Amino acid sequence: MKTPATGEGIHPETKTTASSAKRLKVADPIRASIDEATQTMLRRAQELGIDTVFDRAENMKQCNIGTQGTCCKNCGMGPCRLPLPKSGIEGEDDRKGLCGASANTIAARNFIRMIAGGAAAHSDHGRGVAEVFLSVARNESADYRIKDYNKLMAIAPYFDVATTVSVDGETTDRNPDEIALEVAEKALGEWGKSEGELRYLKRAPTMLYEKWKKNGVLPRNIDREIVEIMHRTHIGVDQDYKNLMKQGTRAAIADGWGGSMLATDLQDVLFGTPYPLQSEANLGVMKADHVNLVIHGHEPILSEMIVAVAQKPEMHAYALSKGAKGIQLSGICCTANEVLQRHGVPQCGTFLQQELAIITGACDAMVVDIQCIFQNVANVANCFHTKLITTHPIARMEQENVIHIEFDEHHAMEDAERIVKMAIDNFANRGSDVMIPKQKAIQIAGFGVEAIQYHLGGTFRGSYYTLNDNIINGRIRGIAGVVGCNNARTRHNEGHIEVVKELIKNDVIVLTTGCNGIACAMEGLLTPESAAVFCGPGLREVCETVGIPPVLHLGSCVDNSRILLAATEVVKAGGLGRDISDLPAAGSAPEWMSEKAISIGHYFVASGVYTVFGVGLPVTGAPVFQKYLFEEFEKLYGGMWDLEADPVKHARKMIAHIDRKRKALGIDKARERTLVDMAARRELTSA
Ligand code: XCC
Ligand code: SF4
């Protein structure tokens, strides 16, 4: 290890010169995370004098006004700060910024700017995929090929692209490459077309589409809705929180049913639609005697190539020639989820473990693309032999030790080879200070709308019939989408795991994505066997019968669009109402932190889902605006926001909502009967 004592490249607060080191607090590993591997590595980091996000959270308090959502810095007369007095406000709320902006206006502007940030991130990722897809369809990127023509045929109709042709009265299949080209061109048009509305909106249940139409929030194109948020939140434009939220809603829908859904679909077409497979998760997947290459970020465009290159026999031979036993790829964040879902590449951790992967001393290279990458990974890499490689033109780092290899789909394989070789060449530079925690868990991942249909759909019906049937008969109480990040302001993975466990214990099946998926994998919840340990009797019976885990991993954060489509399939299969808002379902992000999470949360809400966030929400400083989101939104879209930091209460609120929906559907009785049946059955078996 290079000595961090020089302070070179180390976070300024943690120069471990004796004088300053003493003043800084370090995180208590047990309080920081529920995960043993994380605790071990945090102790290790502290021993080495390297600060991590957990320590920095101890030394920097959150801003009380910002957390309430009532700090405005949208012009040079601010920041204007409007904290809510501890005792609340009685009578008229006359707080205002210099321009007169009310707390509601400020909080709403901030909120929808977060939506803009999140929707932009997801959608720009989607655009990147669409551009690669177009270049593949034009035969300009020889290293990629379309992997899933079935998926291409399935989405073509939404773009008004014909899949058959009539010649002399006879219908024949069209050339798939022609279809690909047309779909690619039209898909790319979704970001900036000058007329009409997003094509995928019609995939939503009709009632939902009609609600959007009535409320005037049908997105026109993806980019425009995001730009319009930036315009409306500029000083002196939109100063009505309801009207601001209307635009926020429109942009969030453009993310969920637009940018994200396009990203998911086109990735499936290009790289294959996920089907269940086995893998592992947590830092213990790294191997001391292998070249460890960690991929981190969000886009699968580069990581797909890295997976392909790392599997090449000549690369394996090259690794052997350098004294390693092979190449161990592993992933962090949603790039990890992408290559997990399609290739079974194991995950070495969630968002909050990115620094720790390097602190193992065994990370020969970390390659990053976009989103959720700590700038501090460069400082940590500087303490070790680790090569940190940025690859995306829009995501670079200022530190000098960072290597930039700009990835381009036109020479994808070449770029990936350079990166993998760099990792292999660096194996020999490893120090003696390797410490990889042993913890890792087995997981079954790779679910999607199609895989759920296959496993739960009943073979001859080819629909969600069996799932619906089990919800109606009460074995499955309801469906929860539990997603999102880690947040250093709350104990790592605790919210994720407690919320999910409470849900499955109460027979609620969980669909997971993002870092929640990784957290559940680390905890062993993504195995069919976990059903017997953690589930209520009904869900357990279903999981055991069809052989699925009680928590189904649907992929990355753009794959939250899979949850929207799965919910739509449930509506279509019948018996559970006519809209997503009728379903006994709820959403959750127990440890959210990113703007993307706010965009996701809001498109869940706008799609009719009751959605609970943990940690905190920057709306609490504007009670009227908060009430609008938490209560009045339900009248507009059927879904609404909620906030609950306590994980068990958080899950119980979701369950209470699910039970209300069951009652409204008239299927609450069925569940009571089932419970009696199950109890009776237990008595029988124990007798
Ligand atoms: Fe990032 Fe997607 Fe959040 Fe995890 S869940 S911290 S956004 S990696 Ni997307
Ligand atoms: Fe203050 Fe208004 Fe400027 Fe915001 S826009 S910083 S509230 S003056």
Side-chain angles (χ1 to χ4, degrees):
M1 192 184 93
K2 292 183 209 163
T3 167
T6 60
E8 215 11 64
I10 303 275
H11 190 271
E13 286 183 350
T14 33
K15 283 181 195 165
T16 48
T17 48
S19 61
S20 70
K22 273 191 195 128
R23 288 200 306 274
L24 284 168
K25 288 184 231 151
V26 291
D28 170 358
I30 306 284
R31 274 181 41 219
S33 175
I34 63 163
D35 169 52
E36 273 179 55
T38 303
Q39 293 165 357
T40 305
M41 289 316 296
L42 181 49
R43 271 184 219 110
R44 174 70 173 160
Q46 291 168 349
E47 247 169 56
L48 297 172
I50 301 169
D51 71 299
T52 64
V53 62
F54 299 102
D55 305 309
R56 294 189 293 277
E58 295 293 321
N59 291 289
M60 188 191 285
K61 278 216 175 94
Q62 281 185 287
C63 165
N64 176 43
I65 308 161
T67 50
Q68 295 183 12
T70 48
C71 171
C72 180
K73 55 179 179 60
N74 291 13
C75 90
M77 297 192 287
C80 294
R81 295 162 301 154
L82 275 58
L84 187 69
K86 277 224 170 73
S87 54
I89 288 173
E90 273 184 38
E92 206 186 324
D93 183 356
D94 55 5
R95 293 175 294 162
K96 45 180 180 274
L98 260 63
C99 66
S102 68
N104 294 327
T105 297
I106 291 173
R109 285 199 300 218
N110 289 338
F111 197 78
I112 74 170
R113 277 202 173 192
M114 290 185 88
I115 293 178
H122 284 146
S123 300
D124 220 30
H125 162 174
R127 184 202 324 266
V129 178
E131 282 171 348
V132 172
F133 180 50
L134 179 62
S135 100
V136 174
R138 284 179 175 156
N139 285 320
E140 290 168 2
S141 293
D143 297 336
Y144 296 97
R145 252 174 307 123
I146 291 172
K147 277 223 183 100
D148 193 340
Y149 279 101
N150 287 337
K151 185 95 182 198
L152 176 65
M153 299 309 150
I155 64 170
Y158 298 111
F159 296 94
D160 294 321
V161 174
T163 53
T164 54
V165 273
S166 294
V167 186
D168 302 330
E170 257 191 65
T171 309
T172 50
D173 288 342
R174 249 185 107 189
N175 176 347
D177 295 322
E178 270 175 44
I179 298 172
L181 187 58
E182 249 184 74
V183 168
E185 281 166 351
K186 289 194 168 163
L188 209 45
E190 293 296 279
W191 274 266
K193 62 189 181 187
S194 54
E195 279 174 0
E197 63 193 40
L198 290 187
R199 293 171 180 276
Y200 274 1
L201 302 177
K202 292 255 164 67
R203 294 177 83 168
T206 315
M207 273 184 77
L208 181 56
Y209 178 86
E210 292 302 327
K211 266 182 212 161
W212 291 338
K213 194 171 176 185
K214 188 170 139 240
N215 290 317
V217 295
L218 294 171
R220 295 154 291 187
N221 68 49
I222 297 162
D223 289 347
R224 180 171 183 176
E225 307 311 350
I226 296 165
V227 169
E228 195 171 305
I229 285 183
M230 298 314 283
H231 178 191
R232 286 205 201 187
T233 54
H234 183 277
I235 181 178
V237 186
D238 204 348
Q239 312 187 73
D240 167 5
Y241 64 93
K242 292 185 182 172
N243 207 41
L244 284 159
M245 276 318 300
K246 192 170 150 183
Q247 185 56 24
T249 303
R250 186 142 62 163
I253 296 170
D255 175 359
W257 296 86
S260 284
M261 200 172 277
L262 284 158
T264 296
D265 277 350
L266 299 180
Q267 285 172 180
D268 282 357
V269 173
L270 272 178
F271 308 130
T273 301
Y275 278 94
L277 42 68
Q278 183 174 322
S279 186
E280 292 174 330
N282 212 346
L283 290 161
V285 305
M286 295 173 77
K287 292 194 183 118
D289 53 8
H290 279 56
V291 173
N292 287 297
L293 174 52
V294 175
I295 37 194
H296 175 16
H298 279 77
E299 285 184 354
I301 298 168
L302 163 66
S303 48
E304 277 286 327
M305 277 300 136
I306 290 183
V307 174
V309 167
Q311 285 168 350
K312 284 187 177 178
E314 58 265 38
M315 278 297 161
H316 181 72
Y318 189 58
L320 294 184
S321 80
K322 298 285 171 176
K325 293 227 165 93
I327 305 166
Q328 179 63 56
L329 288 181
S330 60
I332 291 176
C333 284
C334 283
T335 287
N337 285 324
E338 299 282 2
V339 289
L340 164 76
Q341 295 287 94
R342 297 193 180 86
H343 304 286
V345 173
Q347 299 159 320
C348 65
T350 61
F351 175 68
L352 282 184
Q353 289 167 286
Q354 52 186 288
E355 293 162 304
L356 306 180
I358 299 175
I359 294 169
T360 60
C363 176
D364 302 302
M366 178 181 276
V367 55
V368 302
D369 49 59
I370 47 164
Q371 300 167 21
C372 299
I373 300 142
F374 288 171
Q375 186 169 354
N376 200 59
V377 291
N379 303 332
V380 178
N382 207 26
C383 299
F384 295 89
H385 75 303
T386 306
K387 301 258 189 241
L388 179 66
I389 307 157
T390 55
T391 56
H392 206 292
I394 69 163
R396 300 189 63 160
M397 287 186 193
E398 65 182 336
Q399 289 99 319
E400 270 170 19
N401 61 315
V402 180
I403 302 156
H404 187 73
I405 299 179
E406 198 149 303
F407 178 74
D408 182 329
E409 68 266 21
H410 298 101
H411 35 80
M413 194 67 90
E414 222 180 291
D415 293 341
E417 272 172 11
R418 238 180 107 194
I419 291 164
V420 175
K421 272 207 175 121
M422 191 175 274
I424 296 172
D425 287 332
N426 202 28
F427 178 75
N429 299 327
R430 233 189 243 182
S432 54
D433 44 3
V434 168
M435 185 177 140
I436 302 172
K438 61 179 191 308
Q439 286 84 3
K440 59 177 176 178
I442 288 182
Q443 61 171 323
I444 308 294
F447 288 89
V449 177
E450 297 83 352
I452 295 175
Q453 180 162 318
Y454 176 74
H455 281 269
L456 275 167
T459 37
F460 57 92
R461 287 176 201 265
S463 82
Y464 274 49
Y465 173 80
T466 311
L467 176 59
N468 283 32
D469 200 32
N470 278 304
I471 296 173
I472 293 165
N473 69 28
R475 280 192 194 92
I476 297 177
R477 188 176 199 152
I479 308 169
V482 188
V483 310
C485 325
N486 283 144
N487 185 320
R489 300 299 180 182
T490 186
R491 198 176 178 204
H492 171 237
N493 284 2
E494 184 175 63
H496 283 317
I497 299 309
E498 286 201 8
V499 167
V500 169
K501 280 189 180 166
E502 186 65 22
L503 289 167
I504 59 178
K505 189 173 96 189
N506 286 286
D507 293 322
V508 176
I509 193 168
V510 172
L511 309 180
T512 178
T513 63
C515 287
N516 180 272
I518 305 176
C520 289
M522 286 162 56
E523 190 70 15
L525 296 178
L526 302 189
T527 59
E529 295 75 28
S530 70
V533 186
F534 298 108
C535 292
L539 180 58
R540 173 182 169 172
E541 191 187 333
V542 174
C543 290
E544 285 177 345
T545 308
V546 292
I548 54 164
V551 184
L552 303 177
H553 196 339
L554 268 67
S556 67
C557 290
V558 293
D559 292 335
N560 282 312
S561 60
R562 298 191 201 273
I563 298 183
L564 297 177
L565 292 177
T568 304
E569 289 302 319
V570 173
V571 171
K572 278 201 229 153
L576 290 171
R578 294 169 60 210
D579 197 350
I580 294 177
S581 60
D582 295 330
L583 301 177
S588 157
E591 300 179 30
W592 81 278
M593 64 85 208
S594 83
E595 293 171 321
K596 291 178 285 175
I598 295 291
S599 182
I600 294 163
H602 199 63
Y603 70 64
F604 268 45
V605 167
S607 301
V609 182
Y610 168 64
T611 303
V612 192
F613 270 40
V615 196
L617 270 178
V619 298
T620 50
V624 175
F625 172 59
Q626 179 173 352
K627 187 163 178 273
Y628 183 61
L629 292 181
F630 284 36
E631 292 173 23
E632 289 159 50
F633 244 80
E634 188 177 13
K635 289 175 220 130
L636 297 170
Y637 301 97
M640 65 289 200
W641 281 88
D642 207 347
L643 168 64
E644 180 53 66
D646 178 282
V648 173
K649 283 189 199 154
H650 183 116
R652 297 241 167 106
K653 280 180 152 185
M654 297 167 72
I655 295 164
H657 177 82
I658 284 169
D659 285 349
R660 272 197 298 280
K661 292 294 173 185
R662 293 190 67 88
K663 192 160 185 212
L665 289 165
I667 56 171
D668 48 331
K669 297 285 180 309
R671 184 172 159 78
E672 280 160 27
R673 265 205 308 279
T674 307
L675 278 181
V676 173
D677 285 347
M678 290 308 298
R681 192 176 307 173
R682 264 202 311 276
E683 256 169 46
L684 279 177
T685 47
S686 63

